[in-house]
């Protein structure tokens, strides 16, 4: 038995076979030391074409001429298109990495196809995305997929947020990752899906990942490789106790989170799309306090249309049956990437072109989302929230666009709010409060920017101080500003689930706490224990 200490990211115990997985999509552009050029692009393109030809031959054999495998021919033809190849080459010659150039050209071609009149030609955008994915996976050496034959504990370097969002918790018993941090979106998604997770463990510790049995203790941040019988029995007892506790908590499903003196705190859940709504309902949340709408974009191969967005929002609002659903407008950028946005590589993406900055720049895209939201507003209790606000002028511009869209498509009543997740927003929260119906404090980014700790850097894991007075002062300042203005205020960052702070939040005047669905009942119990 080997015992490895890591960082506890999401609680719970997983027991099963370890399975090493590689990233499915090469979403990250390598640093300059590993830059790839035209030669590598050509090699990747040829390898992709060879793969497609092989697949085409196999498919034709299977179909036995009933139907042809023509779509593969179309994909191969993209790889031979001179214009397309020349565009990639010119970007590489300008100094872009091959992967970056490939993403950029892919985005341009996808957009070009989507803009065409014929339905058939618009469909080809998917072929473009597919074939480029193949090339990019080869370029970044990340071809292996995440398909698991049997329920397993996955071992990886790290996962992108969208890869984590796609995991099936019935198959993925636990995650052991080397790089991800407590406040990364990979960790947040793992919490949302309720998958026990430990990070800071190097896969090389395994002699033969795929053969070894592991126990992963997400509460303690420990991994046991090939545990002995005694350890297995210990954890069987722990798992049984956990199950019993969870069963007991179900008694609170339909009960409000009221303190003994009768103050009710709304306990909402965070979600990333309609996939999580069932879990939110099963865990007795009073509503959704943060729907990270960018995950809907990240799960899509091209910009979702207004109709697609409307249908998704309509279903989410209807399923929540009148409970409040706070939908945050798309906060793409930093670690949340969708290739077709064609975002340039940035030195400091967390402080770069992201979230509301993209929306206020590309207002066509923003208005599509706002139109879909307002049209869906009559199907439930909608609140719209804008991320990454630093200035009153941004809120005014958002509201102006919202008004324009409302005049176009109408709406049922809804609330408008902002995230307080930059120190600037907290410091001017009095002014911001005059503009909106609510605040939701995003402590993940607020901590990152206040303490100058990159939430994506595993080397800084030990320096995230969630009780740092500077962070708590900004939280308090924002809550007080909200109270003075008579608007409600919640917390939707990971700090909301920090039970050592629950009493302080309640005393400060926080009205709502939004946490992973799996933490809702525990938090209800905590609030109910307070005076
Ligand atoms: C936050 O920053 O606290 C937040 C809730 O948003 P995200 O984690 O998606 O950046
Ligand atoms: Mg944030």
């Amino acid at each position: 038995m080997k015992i490895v200490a890591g960082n506890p990211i999401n609680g719970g115990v997983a027991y099963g076979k370890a399975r090493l997985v590689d990233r499915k999509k090469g979403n990250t552009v390598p640093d300059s030391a590993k830059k790839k050029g035209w030669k590598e692009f050509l090699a990747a393109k040829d390898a992709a074409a060879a793969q497609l030809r092989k697949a085409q031959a196999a498919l034709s054999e299977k179909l036995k001429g009933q139907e042809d495998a023509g779509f593969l021919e179309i994909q191969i033809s993209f790889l031979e298109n001179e214009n397309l190849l020349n565009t990639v080459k010119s970007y590489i010659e300008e100094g872009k990495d091959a992967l970056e150039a490939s993403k950029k050209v892919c985005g341009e071609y996808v957009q070009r196809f989507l803009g065409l009149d014929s339905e058939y030609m618009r469909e080809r955008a998917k072929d473009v995305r597919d074939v480029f994915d193949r090339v990019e996976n080869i370029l970044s050496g990340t071809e292996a997929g995440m398909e698991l034959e049997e329920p397993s504990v996955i071992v990886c370097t790290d996962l992108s947020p969208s890869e984590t969002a796609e995991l099936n918790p019935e198959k993925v018993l636990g995650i052991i990752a080397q790089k991800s941090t407590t406040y990364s979106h990979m960790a947040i998604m793992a919490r949302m899906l309720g998958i026990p997770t430990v990070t800071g463990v190097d896969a090389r510790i395994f002699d033969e990942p795929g053969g070894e049995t592991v126990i992963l203790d997400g509460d303690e941040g420990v991994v046991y490789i090939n545990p002995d019988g005694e350890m297995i029995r210990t954890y069987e007892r722990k798992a049984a106790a956990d199950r019993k506790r969870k069963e007991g908590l179900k008694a609170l499903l339909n009960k409000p989170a009221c303190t003994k003196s009768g103050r009710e705190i709304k306990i909402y859940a965070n979600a990333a799309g309609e996939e999580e709504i069932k879990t939110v309902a099963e865990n007795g949340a009073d509503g959704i306090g943060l729907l990270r709408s960018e995950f809907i974009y990240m799960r899509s191969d091209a910009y979702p249309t207004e109709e697609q967005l409307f249908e998704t929002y309509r279903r989410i609002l209807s399923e929540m049956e009148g409970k409040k659903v706070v939908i945050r407008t798309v906060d793409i950028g930093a670690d949340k990437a969708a290739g077709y946005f064609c975002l340039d590589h940035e030195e400091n993406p967390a402080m770069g072109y992201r979230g509301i900055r993209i929306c206020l720049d590309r207002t066509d895209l923003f208005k599509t989302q706002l139109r879909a939201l307002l049209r869906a507003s009559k199907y439930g209790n909608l609140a719209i929230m804008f991320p990454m606000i630093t200035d009153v002028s941004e809120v005014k511009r958002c509201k102006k666009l919202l008004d324009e869209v409302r005049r176009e498509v109408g709406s049922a009543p809804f609330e408008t709010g902002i995230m307080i997740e930059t120190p600037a927003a907290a410091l001017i929260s009095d002014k911001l409060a005059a503009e909106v119906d609510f605040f939701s404090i995003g402590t993940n980014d607020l901590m990152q920017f206040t303490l100058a700790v990159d939430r994506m850097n595993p080397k800084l894991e030990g320096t995230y101080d969630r009780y740092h007075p500077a962070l708590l002062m900004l939280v308090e300042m924002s809550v007080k500003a909200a109270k003075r203005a008579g608007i409600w205020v919640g917390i939707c960052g990971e700090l909301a689930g920090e039970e050592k702070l629950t009493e302080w939040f309640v005393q400060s005047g926080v009205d709502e706490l939004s946490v992973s669905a799996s933490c809702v009942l525990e938090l209800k119990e905590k609030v109910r224990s307070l005076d």
Side-chain angles (χ1 to χ4, degrees):
M1 174 170 77
K2 251 189 222 169
I3 305 176
V4 194
N7 307 310
I9 297 292
N10 189 34
V13 171
Y15 173 49
K17 280 265 184 293
R19 167 81 204 276
L20 184 71
V21 297
D22 287 325
R23 303 188 61 167
K24 192 163 57 178
K25 289 179 187 156
N27 268 335
T28 46
V29 175
D31 56 34
S32 52
K34 293 182 225 142
K35 254 190 171 182
K36 291 187 171 144
W38 176 236
K39 209 171 93 216
E40 283 89 353
F41 178 84
L42 278 185
K45 168 208 91 103
D46 288 344
Q51 287 179 358
L52 287 169
R53 286 213 179 83
K54 205 165 151 203
Q56 192 182 29
L59 198 58
S60 302
E61 171 66 24
K62 250 192 233 154
L63 297 173
K64 299 235 180 306
Q66 296 162 37
E67 223 183 295
D68 69 14
F71 71 97
L72 290 170
E73 194 55 55
I74 295 174
Q75 296 200 356
I76 294 169
S77 74
F78 287 128
L79 293 175
E80 288 162 355
N81 181 305
E82 229 170 275
N83 276 340
L84 184 152
L85 295 176
N86 282 338
T87 321
V88 176
K89 195 173 180 196
S90 67
Y91 284 135
I92 293 175
E93 281 167 358
E94 275 171 19
K96 289 203 178 347
D97 174 83
L99 190 57
E100 205 178 350
S102 169
K103 282 177 187 299
K104 195 160 166 58
V105 174
C106 172
E108 288 168 7
Y109 271 74
V110 164
Q111 282 317 302
R112 208 175 288 175
F113 276 98
L114 289 177
L116 296 174
D117 286 341
S118 130
E119 175 75 31
Y120 173 81
M121 291 310 279
R122 279 200 301 277
E123 275 296 302
R124 299 287 69 78
K126 286 191 191 140
D127 289 316
V128 177
R129 159 86 20 234
D130 217 37
V131 80
F132 270 92
D133 268 355
R134 195 177 284 273
V135 174
E136 286 160 21
N137 285 341
I138 296 171
L139 265 176
S140 54
T142 54
E143 284 181 85
M146 201 83 71
E147 289 77 29
L148 298 172
E149 278 146 31
E150 53 171 336
S152 314
V153 174
I154 62 172
V155 182
C156 54
T157 310
D158 71 347
L159 298 171
S160 74
S162 58
E163 283 166 338
T164 319
E166 279 167 21
L167 296 179
N168 174 358
E170 278 168 25
K171 282 277 173 76
V172 180
L173 304 173
I175 303 173
I176 300 172
Q178 185 185 353
K179 284 195 177 155
S180 299
T181 59
T182 308
Y183 299 102
S184 68
H185 284 96
M186 172 267 179
I188 290 170
M189 283 308 297
R191 265 173 235 131
M192 259 169 6
L193 295 169
I195 304 177
T197 302
V198 173
T199 65
V201 176
D202 191 329
R204 283 172 296 187
I205 195 83
F206 290 87
D207 295 327
E208 37 148 352
E212 288 136 317
T213 302
V214 291
I215 292 176
L216 177 164
D217 183 337
D219 297 304
E220 301 298 328
V222 179
V223 175
Y224 302 86
I225 303 173
N226 291 330
D228 59 25
E230 183 53 37
M231 195 54 77
I232 293 173
R233 280 188 293 281
T234 305
Y235 273 94
E236 274 169 357
R237 286 194 293 274
K238 184 170 168 12
D242 280 355
R243 274 196 299 277
K244 199 163 162 217
R245 172 153 171 71
K246 285 215 171 88
E247 267 315 302
L249 282 171
K250 283 195 182 151
L252 300 179
L253 269 177
N254 297 314
K255 300 216 168 106
C258 284
T259 62
K260 289 186 191 138
S261 56
R263 168 132 195 263
E264 184 179 353
I265 306 296
K266 294 284 180 201
I267 308 294
Y268 288 174
N270 293 344
E274 56 186 315
E275 292 78 358
E276 284 89 35
I277 304 305
K278 195 164 156 261
T279 331
V280 167
E282 279 168 5
N283 282 281
D286 297 319
I288 294 179
L290 168 64
L291 190 121
R292 290 180 162 94
S293 76
E294 56 277 8
F295 278 83
I296 298 168
Y297 289 70
M298 287 153 67
R299 283 166 170 152
S300 169
D301 284 339
Y303 290 109
T305 62
E306 179 184 322
E307 218 44 44
Q308 286 167 335
L309 291 172
F310 161 71
E311 279 302 330
T312 308
Y313 301 148
R314 184 187 62 74
R315 285 194 294 269
I316 293 172
L317 285 160
S318 310
E319 270 180 62
M320 287 302 290
E321 298 177 334
K323 288 182 177 166
K324 195 176 324 261
V325 179
V326 180
I327 301 187
R328 173 174 79 183
T329 58
V330 61
D331 187 24
I332 210 89
D335 63 326
K336 290 177 285 191
Y340 56 87
F341 272 76
C342 299
L343 300 178
D344 289 333
H345 174 69
E346 295 183 57
E347 292 304 324
N348 287 306
M351 294 191 285
Y353 188 63
R354 63 172 280 201
I356 206 66
R357 297 168 183 176
I358 296 180
C359 289
L360 289 175
D361 185 33
R362 294 167 67 176
T363 47
D364 51 336
L365 181 120
F366 193 26
K367 280 172 113 178
T368 303
Q369 181 176 32
L370 296 180
R371 261 195 302 274
L373 282 167
L374 293 199
R375 282 175 56 203
S377 61
K378 44 174 132 24
Y379 295 92
N381 184 356
L382 173 69
I384 298 177
M385 173 160 79
F386 303 115
M388 282 298 290
I389 295 295
T390 56
D391 192 47
V392 177
S393 64
E394 291 162 336
V395 185
K396 288 199 164 141
R397 287 176 64 203
C398 289
K399 283 168 54 183
K400 188 164 170 280
L401 290 168
L402 208 46
D403 266 346
E404 280 172 30
V405 169
R406 194 190 342 230
R407 278 197 295 277
E408 271 175 54
V409 299
S411 82
F414 66 93
E415 288 181 317
T416 310
I418 55 167
M419 291 200 64
I420 302 285
E421 55 181 341
T422 64
L427 291 166
I428 59 163
S429 47
D430 262 324
K431 291 196 173 63
L432 293 169
E435 296 291 331
V436 291
D437 303 313
F438 68 94
F439 282 165
S440 187
I441 305 176
T443 51
N444 307 334
D445 275 319
L446 190 59
M447 173 169 12
Q448 151 162 275
F449 296 129
T450 308
L451 306 184
V453 282
D454 178 355
R455 63 193 267 200
M456 299 303 296
N457 188 336
K459 288 213 177 82
L460 302 179
E461 187 71 45
T463 54
Y464 304 133
D465 179 359
R466 61 195 85 183
Y467 311 115
H468 195 292
L471 174 66
L472 299 184
M473 274 164 80
L474 291 176
V475 170
E476 191 175 27
M477 188 181 253
S478 313
V479 174
K480 287 206 167 120
K483 297 285 105 178
R484 276 194 292 275
I487 61 173
W488 67 266
V489 54
I491 299 181
C492 63
E494 297 299 291
L495 207 65
E498 184 52 69
E499 293 199 6
K500 289 198 187 99
L501 290 173
T502 313
E503 187 165 10
W504 182 75
F505 289 147
V506 173
Q507 281 166 0
S508 306
V510 170
D511 301 288
E512 172 255 356
L513 294 167
S514 192
V515 292
S516 308
S518 56
C519 301
V520 164
L521 291 176
E522 302 245 10
L523 196 53
K524 271 194 182 182
E525 184 186 58
K526 174 73 191 174
V527 172
R528 289 168 67 89
S529 75
L530 300 174
D531 297 330

